[in-house]
Amino acid sequence: MSATVFELSLPHVSNGLRLRGRAATLDRNQALDRFLAGVERRAFRMAQVATGDADEAMDLVQDAMLKLVQRYGARDEAEWGPLFHTILQSRIRDWYRRAKVRNRWRAWFSRHEDETEQDDPLESVADTSNLLSDEQLAQKRAMAALDQALRTLPLRQQQAFVLRAWEELDVVQTAAAMGCSEGSVKTHYFRAVRALRQLLGAHWP
Amino acid sequence: MNTELNKDDERFAARAKRLLDHSVEELDATFTRRLQHARVQALDAGPARSRSAIWVSGLAMATVGALSLSMWLMQPVHERPHTPALDDIELITSAENVDLAEDFEFYHWLADADATG
């Protein structure tokens, strides 16, 4: 009732406030759009490396985007980056837990089947040698090998590596995103780098 | 445990970063479109109402309901207008009784006549 009285007595002020509110919402939406456009492809690649599946990765990123907008869109813009990574890494951890259970059942049902050979990472690279230069081809192969090596790491090491080395989050932000202590982040990251160097070794193209 | 990276480790990490960055630039157009679509959907969904807001609106509705109920219960009970009993209605509507009522004047005169005698 007081709002109605206010609107009746000062309509121009009321309209001004309403317009300012709408403009603020529009600004925020545009800022969120810019932020998400800036991180979505990297987030997708992170999830793809973690899951090894593009569709699963897409679902995880979509979930993370939705949660950020719904729950934390009103927060300060500077907080969106760490929050988004926290949400995404949490989604990836959940996916890992589910996959672990699924794989356990699958292994139980197929324990009598012959063991299949491990895929050669280089086999998964599309044969585009006719279209690419030697340098581009080497880069593609190096990326495929890195993807494969990252997938062999324990999840915590993988997360520490992508957040520290690629996303360049500091130790505190990485610890928040991973939900662990700063000391654990340092240990996981160190082990990840050493393990990757060992896995890729001198043969890394 | 020493967790400090040496120069080779740092060079390795820097090369990995360049490769990962490059892989993002080379991302398939199909995935890029799907990501854009996912972003638009997320933005269209808008902010969710916070739990506190849901609690506040629920509490407000409950308060309004309780107030309405108490006001309804506390309103003064108006005396119902006296409704004529069924017998009275019969008395009014019966033709015989109307005749009797018309004879009241005669009975009064008779009583007065007896008294004066």
Side-chain angles (χ1 to χ4, degrees), chain B residues 10-11 17 20-21 23-25 44-45 48-49 54 63 65 68 70 74 84 86 89 93-95 102 110 113:
Chain B
E10 282 170 7
R11 264 196 296 273
K17 177 180 163 43
L20 287 162
D21 282 340
S23 76
V24 167
E25 288 161 23
D44 281 349
R49 290 177 70 201
I54 292 167
T63 309
S68 311
S70 58
M74 286 168 65
L86 204 60
I89 293 172
T93 54
S94 161
E102 282 172 357
L110 197 63

Side-chain angles (χ1 to χ4, degrees), chain A residues 60-151:
Chain A
L60 294 175
V61 174
Q62 188 165 9
D63 272 2
M65 283 183 182
L66 197 64
K67 178 140 190 203
L68 182 85
V69 172
Q70 288 190 324
R71 298 263 175 236
Y72 306 105
R75 294 276 192 98
D76 192 72
E77 280 186 47
E79 292 180 48
W80 289 344
L83 279 169
F84 180 75
H85 285 296
T86 305
I87 298 166
L88 181 65
Q89 295 307 323
S90 161
R91 291 283 187 273
I92 290 173
R93 281 198 296 279
D94 289 345
W95 182 89
Y96 249 72
R97 282 190 207 110
R98 286 197 305 272
K100 216 171 173 180
V101 175
R102 214 166 38 224
N103 289 342
R104 204 175 296 152
W105 279 100
R106 201 173 291 162
W108 189 78
F109 280 117
S110 62
R111 63 184 165 185
H112 299 300
E113 289 177 12
D114 293 333
E115 279 184 17
T116 52
E117 284 182 20
Q118 283 254 319
D119 292 337
D120 180 354
L122 298 186
E123 280 179 12
S124 60
V125 184
D127 184 13
T128 50
S129 49
N130 295 335
L131 308 168
L132 301 172
S133 66
D134 287 350
E135 192 189 342
Q136 286 171 320
L137 195 62
Q139 208 162 32
K140 269 209 176 298
R141 289 190 168 183
M143 188 60 243
L146 178 61
D147 262 10
Q148 184 71 20
L150 277 167
R151 270 177 218 142

